[in-house]
Amino acid sequence: MTGLVLQGINNIFTVMHENQTRLCRLKGKVLDGAENSYNPLAPGDLVEFEGELILRRHPRRNCLFRWNRKRNNMQAVAANVDQVVLFGSVGEPPFRPRFIDRALVLAELAGIPAVVVINKSDLTATAAEQERIDVYRQVGYRVHRISALTGDGLEDLRHILADKRSVLYGQSGVGKSSCINAMYPDCKLKTGEVSRKHNRGRHTTNYGRLLTAAELGSQGSATAIIDTPGIRELHIMGYTEYEIASGYREIAALAPGCSYNGCTHIHEPDCAVRAAVDRGELHPDRFASYAKTRADMQDLTKQYGVPR
Ligand code: GDP
Ligand code: ZN
């Protein structure tokens, strides 16, 4: 039988088949169809199962990965999704554009369309923050300012999520859970406490989970949300430096103008990317973000080796 993986906690997977869920485990240590045995399944995966045993994973349409520092491997965050909805916020916690940049790179490299959502529109963004938010729109992403508190923009966000399977991604504290609860009152995710790290037992915060249309109170629709644990820091590993550059859309667009074939835009002469920064056509902080992400990957690779 074919089932949809909703969640995996310590190798026990919640699998849904014809609106019934059951807990399953893997047959054997290595799963047929999966590349590695550490995290063979993610919310959104389709599997073949028999009783309580998962026999095989179906090929994925796409998959969002994240580097796991402890194991130095690439962890599947969500599989077979229509879009990444990337949450940020202004105020508290402070706006962190470089986190959003990195998450956008991961979405680009996974071939998944991304939408940027900036929550807490009831709090004022500084001019510098607003300028940096506007960059995302300028390079072609849809950007939505919303507020879970006042309800501003939530109807638009509901439309964006309707009849799609979306993975919601963001740093802890940006108000992702509050937004889900405000849009889908049936959900009642836990929100809010200051010291989330002490709440280790709560799966909403520690494990990704696919929320079905029924759980969202949208029965009969194809809407599904993969809620992911709020993350503290995001590193890009397991890709080449050219891939990182290609994940910054406006840098990728400028790169063909560089004189040096395979330009990294860091030290080569006649670099179209650095020239665009000098002319004020490429936001200096987006360039700095690229340079930092690349240097970060090089340092971590020296320290940990290439991830498995
Ligand atoms: P998550 O970690 O992203 O799931 O964030 P939570 O939903 O738990 O929210 C973190 C904190 O931000 C809580 O104290 C919320 O009350 C607050 N918060 C969420 N949305 C808004 C908003 O739109 N405006 C303001 N001012 N605070 C918000
Ligand atoms: Zn260059």
Side-chain angles (χ1 to χ4, degrees), residues 255 258 263-266 268 270-274:
C258 298
C263 185
T264 64
H265 323 304
I266 302 294
E268 296 86 345
D270 296 322
C271 171
V273 172
R274 289 203 320 281

Side-chain angles (χ1 to χ4, degrees), residues 140-158:
Y141 294 103
R142 286 197 291 169
V143 180
H144 293 269
R145 284 285 269 138
I146 62 163
S147 170
L149 196 70
T150 66
D152 177 32
L154 290 186
E155 214 29 60
D156 289 345
L157 185 53
R158 271 184 76 108

Side-chain angles (χ1 to χ4, degrees), residues 6 16 21 184-188 209-219 223 225:
L6 302 185
M16 189 173 74
T21 60
Y184 307 102
D186 287 1
C187 251
K188 300 195 180 68
R209 176 171 174 83
L210 189 148
L211 301 162
T212 62
E215 285 170 283
L216 296 171
S218 305
Q219 287 90 338
T223 311
I225 285 175

Side-chain angles (χ1 to χ4, degrees), residues 216-293:
L216 296 171
S218 305
Q219 287 90 338
S221 79
T223 311
I225 285 175
I226 297 180
D227 188 28
T228 60
I231 35 191
R232 247 159 260 275
E233 47 166 35
L234 189 56
H235 300 285
I236 299 202
M237 287 282 279
Y239 295 101
T240 67
E241 56 187 335
Y242 305 107
E243 285 172 321
I244 292 181
S246 73
Y248 285 79
R249 280 188 179 174
E250 70 278 44
I251 294 179
L254 288 160
C258 298
S259 291
Y260 186 73
N261 198 0
C263 185
T264 64
H265 323 304
I266 302 294
H267 48 70
E268 296 86 345
D270 296 322
C271 171
V273 172
R274 289 203 320 281
V277 178
D278 292 342
R279 283 197 308 272
E281 290 166 12
L282 171 61
H283 198 290
D285 193 58
R286 275 281 281 184
F287 179 74
S289 163
Y290 158 68
K292 176 80 173 73
T293 300

Side-chain angles (χ1 to χ4, degrees), residues 91-104:
E92 181 56 44
F95 181 53
R96 287 270 308 271
R98 292 187 184 182
F99 178 93
I100 294 178
D101 292 346
R102 289 180 181 192
L104 286 174

